[in-house]
Amino acid sequence: MERFERIQYLNRILLEEMPEYRAEAARFPQEDAAQRRLFRSLMNVRAPRPLNPQFLQVQDELLSAEREAKGVVDADRLPVSPADSRIAIWQGDITRLAADAIVDADNSALLGCFCPCHGCIDNAIHSAAGLQLRDECSQIMTAQGRPEPAGRAKLTKGYNLPAKFVLHTVGPIVQGRVSRKDREELASCYRSCLELAAEKSLRSVAFCCISTGEFHFPNREAAEIAVETVTEFLRRPTSIEKVIFNVFKDLDAEIYRSLLREN
């Protein structure tokens, strides 16, 4: 199949599963970009359920080709901070990073973002990984039997991401002023991810800016907690050889650079 044929096939299968979206889907023009956006939208709204092997094969062919087209960034080759040879800052799309694990900032359901084509990192990671990621998360949450508390960590495969694994953590939601509990939970997110990564003998972990977007944690204070927690963790013996602070905005890039210069 050519790319557009793959997209059309995937959309047809998903609309057979979810006929309630056919009327909306009909409004999407029959051209590559629009149909690709439709596919991402359908992925985002699809509830966890058994996955058809043929569908997954075509989905994986599409997503792996897109991964290579975007360009994979080797975490091991990123320049390190003068403050610590095990810490790097990288500004860009975290779904391009070939690290042992990237960190996804989740909500308490731990199933990914259900808002079609939303701009959050949770949506980006699930959309690039494929529907297997939501399915594995669902299995974890079904076994757990309750929402995921803030400050913990779970590990899944990376599927079509360049990263081998995804670390899932729920950050605090700030309402008004930042509280001591908010700070403790955010520090726990970083610590829990690193502890789980070390338990699995992973070597490199890339963190997003947990809780600074939809969850309203002030950017600089969040970065201060992140740098302090990671630096403290790396003082102990660990399998982790590199921690990447992945930023998307210029503001966050400058904050992390200034903090690491100060250290």
Side-chain angles (χ1 to χ4, degrees):
M1 285 188 194
E2 298 296 328
R3 171 186 163 84
F4 191 59
E5 291 175 311
R6 289 191 182 112
I7 294 170
Q8 288 180 311
Y9 168 82
L10 295 168
N11 285 340
R12 177 171 61 79
I13 297 300
L14 290 178
L15 288 169
E16 286 174 0
E17 283 190 356
M18 301 181 291
E20 64 273 23
Y21 293 107
R22 282 178 180 164
E24 292 177 58
R27 291 197 286 268
F28 283 74
Q30 286 296 320
E31 54 88 17
D32 187 285
Q35 289 299 302
R36 181 60 182 87
R37 185 174 179 84
L38 173 60
F39 174 53
R40 178 169 175 172
S41 300
L42 293 170
M43 289 175 72
N44 295 159
V45 299
R46 183 185 186 271
R49 67 186 76 173
L51 297 160
N52 178 282
Q54 184 177 353
F55 173 92
L56 289 180
Q57 180 182 341
V58 177
Q59 175 209 251
D60 292 352
E61 288 170 354
L62 176 70
L63 295 181
S64 61
E66 290 180 343
R67 178 189 65 220
E68 299 307 312
K70 283 193 299 184
V72 173
V73 177
D74 187 347
D76 289 339
R77 294 179 179 272
L78 293 175
V80 295
S81 164
D84 192 318
S85 62
R86 291 177 294 178
I87 294 177
I89 303 167
W90 186 70
Q91 186 172 10
D93 178 358
I94 199 169
T95 68
R96 294 177 59 202
L97 273 178
D100 281 356
I102 61 171
V103 174
D104 184 10
D106 293 76
N107 58 44
S108 61
L110 220 72
L111 295 178
C113 173
F114 280 82
C115 181
C117 297
H118 191 250
C120 68
I121 195 162
D122 195 16
N123 190 298
I125 288 173
H126 276 262
S127 297
L131 287 171
Q132 301 97 312
L133 183 57
R134 177 168 286 172
D135 188 55
E136 185 177 355
C137 287
S138 176
Q139 292 176 42
I140 290 170
M141 296 306 290
T142 299
Q144 180 166 288
R146 59 186 173 85
E148 180 75 355
R152 309 279 184 85
K154 295 286 192 297
L155 186 74
T156 64
K157 295 177 185 177
Y159 298 101
N160 291 290
L161 294 163
K164 297 174 186 174
F165 299 98
V166 179
L167 285 156
H168 303 263
T169 192
V170 180
I173 301 173
V174 175
Q175 298 173 331
R177 289 189 174 186
V178 179
S179 66
R180 176 183 293 181
K181 184 172 181 285
D182 293 331
R183 296 185 188 96
E184 290 172 349
E185 287 179 346
L186 185 59
S188 182
C189 287
Y190 286 91
R191 194 178 306 111
S192 296
C193 286
L194 291 169
E195 288 172 349
L196 183 53
E199 180 186 320
K200 301 297 183 181
S201 300
L202 304 188
R203 293 174 47 254
S204 57
V205 176
F207 282 100
C208 61
C209 299
I210 302 167
S211 279
T212 58
E214 300 288 320
F215 287 8
H216 308 301
F217 211 110
N219 296 60
R220 184 170 185 90
E221 189 169 3
E224 289 170 351
I225 291 168
V227 170
E228 180 182 354
T229 306
V230 167
T231 302
E232 180 183 342
F233 183 89
L234 291 176
R235 292 194 183 107
R236 68 177 88 164
T238 176
S239 67
I240 297 172
E241 299 173 5
K242 196 163 198 176
V243 173
I244 301 102
F245 290 116
N246 171 250
V247 298
F248 195 73
K249 298 177 181 177
D250 292 341
L251 168 66
D252 291 314
E254 184 52 42
I255 289 171
Y256 274 95
R257 290 189 189 108
S258 67
L259 289 173
L260 288 166
R261 280 197 298 267
E262 291 169 8
N263 287 343

